[in-house]
């Protein structure tokens, strides 16, 4: 499994597993847990979840999946901005830890910019880190100006990543946020790398490249998201066959010709656009 370095030198798997829409149905929980476990066994041992997903239900499924193998997993969860006050961060982190059945998170993210002054949230993240409740903290859905603000704050350069929407039809970050992040040695975490299995997977360009590699368009979308060695990609699958397919995508290397073909249909940005998010 290729790895990506966080700014403090921690090595994490470049390809992980998303969990949005998991934990929504008790009837599906056992199979979702089994897929997550299979993913961990295949090296997709970075798991992204959030207190928001199924109102804590996704964290419970993840907790069941990591039981007995916590140390093998790089566990990421997120706090909603309306909860990210000084006291709220401590309380909500504790609730996430309880649902996840663990006493620490590897990475805790502010889900999107929001309600409380950022200094307050960052100071609270730092306290959690000192207390050993979290190993790293970061942000999500932050555009360049937001990131510059973070980096100008006390302890702001301890930010470990920014999780943003990124796939061939949503390339806006390549104009400024991605180069800035690269310059700061800050990996980006690409969410919805499969475009949520919508129009993107029907792309003729992805299909053509997939055919050359004996792969699927989903695998090409994942390989594309990993191509710069500084991006962590977190496709979600609750389907055993899709999971196996996604895991294999980590070994696909796209050629210059493949990338040029994708660029012709899915154009890189020519100007600044505000950050797209779901
Ligand atoms: P993805 O782009 O990962 O797409 C998920 C969809 O693709 C599911 O319907 C899944 O279905 C399907 N799929 C998975 N693998 C394949 C495959 N090989 N072939 C065909 N279809 C496939 O979308 P998400 O929005 O879920 O993003 C991934 C993760 O990123 C989330 O789960 C979440 O953890 C995170 N996220 C973070 C956000 C943020 O604001 N920070 C916002 C959105 C997502 P199936 O399960 O049946 O395989």
């Amino acid at each position: 499994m290729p790895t990506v370095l966080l700014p403090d030198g921690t090595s994490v798997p470049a390809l992980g597993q998303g969990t949005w829409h998991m934990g929504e149905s008790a009837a599906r929980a056992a199979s979702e847990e089994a897929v997550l476990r299979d993913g961990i066994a295949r090296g997709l041992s970075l798991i992204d979840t959030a207190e928001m997903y199924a109102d804590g239900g996704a964290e419970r499924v993840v907790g069941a999946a990591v039981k007995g193998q916590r140390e093998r997993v790089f566990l990421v969860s997120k706090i909603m901005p309306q909860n990210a006050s000084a006291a709220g961060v401590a309380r909500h982190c504790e609730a996430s830890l309880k649902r996840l059945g663990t006493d620490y998170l590897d990475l805790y993210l502010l889900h999107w910019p929001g309600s409380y002054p950022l200094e307050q949230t960052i100071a609270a993240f730092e306290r959690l880190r000192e207390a050993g409740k979290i190993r790293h903290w970061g942000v999500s859905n932050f555009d360049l100006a937001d990131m510059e603000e973070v980096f100008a704050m006390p302890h702001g350069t301890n930010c470990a990543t920014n999780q943003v929407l990124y796939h061939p039809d949503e390339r806006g970050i390549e104009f400024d946020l991605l180069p800035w992040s690269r310059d700061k040695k800050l990996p980006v975490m690409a969410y919805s790398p499969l475009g949520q299995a919508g129009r993107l997977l029907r792309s003729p360009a992805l299909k053509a490249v997939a055919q050359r590699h004996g792969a699927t368009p989903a695998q090409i979308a994942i390989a594309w998201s990993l191509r710069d060695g500084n991006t962590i990609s977190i496709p979600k699958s609750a389907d055993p066959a899709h999971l196996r397919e996604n895991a294999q995508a980590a070994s696909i290397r796209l050629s210059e010709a493949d990338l040029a073909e994708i660029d012709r249909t899915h154009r890189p940005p020519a100007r600044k656009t505000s950050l797209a998010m779901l």
Side-chain angles (χ1 to χ4, degrees):
M1 175 60 59
T3 54
V4 165
L5 290 181
L6 301 184
D8 73 347
T10 302
S11 171
V12 301
L15 184 57
Q17 304 186 74
T19 64
W20 196 12
H21 299 305
M22 288 191 186
E24 290 177 353
S25 139
R28 289 198 304 267
S31 63
E32 290 165 351
E33 177 192 330
V35 170
L36 287 170
R37 280 185 171 271
D38 187 32
I40 295 166
R42 291 172 191 274
L44 278 65
S45 57
L46 181 151
I47 300 184
D48 177 77
T49 189
E51 63 173 2
M52 187 183 92
Y53 302 159
D55 204 14
E59 288 182 325
R60 284 191 199 90
V61 170
V62 173
V66 305
K67 199 169 177 196
Q69 51 177 349
R70 173 66 186 93
E71 293 302 322
R72 290 181 70 186
V73 176
F74 189 92
L75 201 48
V76 186
S77 194
K78 310 184 204 83
I79 183 167
M80 287 188 283
Q82 58 267 39
N83 299 331
S85 63
V89 166
R91 199 169 59 245
H92 283 262
C93 180
E94 212 52 62
S96 284
L97 291 174
K98 196 162 174 214
R99 287 188 290 268
L100 288 160
T102 183
D103 52 8
Y104 72 97
L105 288 172
D106 294 285
L107 176 61
Y108 199 30
L109 305 177
L110 177 61
H111 209 145
W112 61 90
S115 328
Y116 290 95
L118 206 46
E119 292 96 326
Q120 221 182 90
T121 306
I122 292 177
F125 280 162
E126 283 292 325
R127 282 193 293 277
L128 285 180
R129 207 160 65 89
E130 280 157 20
K133 302 276 185 188
I134 65 173
R135 299 251 162 106
H136 305 87
W137 62 264
V139 295
S140 176
N141 295 304
F142 271 47
D143 207 343
L144 178 58
D146 306 314
M147 288 310 296
E148 286 173 335
E149 215 184 303
V150 169
F151 268 58
M153 281 176 186
H155 307 293
T157 52
N158 287 342
C159 179
T161 190
N162 181 16
Q163 184 179 114
V164 290
L165 178 62
Y166 187 46
H167 60 71
D169 278 336
E170 290 291 357
R171 302 181 64 168
I173 64 168
E174 289 175 26
F175 188 76
D176 54 357
L177 185 60
L178 207 51
W180 182 90
S181 306
R182 201 171 290 139
D183 187 53
K184 302 283 186 230
K185 301 199 179 340
L186 185 76
V188 157
M189 197 178 280
Y191 75 68
S192 307
L194 303 173
Q196 301 199 296
R199 196 176 53 142
L200 179 68
L201 299 190
R202 296 190 293 277
S203 154
L206 260 56
K207 282 185 180 168
V209 174
Q211 201 166 22
R212 284 206 288 279
H213 285 267
T216 66
Q219 289 178 314
I220 298 305
I222 292 170
W224 183 90
S225 68
L226 297 176
R227 72 197 184 286
D228 71 355
N230 196 38
T231 301
I232 300 158
S233 183
I234 48 168
K236 173 262 171 185
S237 180
D239 176 284
H242 284 166
L243 185 277
R244 285 194 293 278
E245 195 179 308
N246 297 350
Q248 285 159 3
S251 58
I252 299 175
R253 298 281 167 272
L254 299 179
S255 68
E256 289 302 318
D258 295 331
L259 294 175
E261 179 154 9
I262 293 170
D263 283 353
R264 279 195 290 279
T265 310
H266 307 272
R267 312 288 299 177
R271 67 187 73 80
K272 168 71 184 165
T273 48
S274 55
L275 183 68
M277 57 180 87
L278 295 183

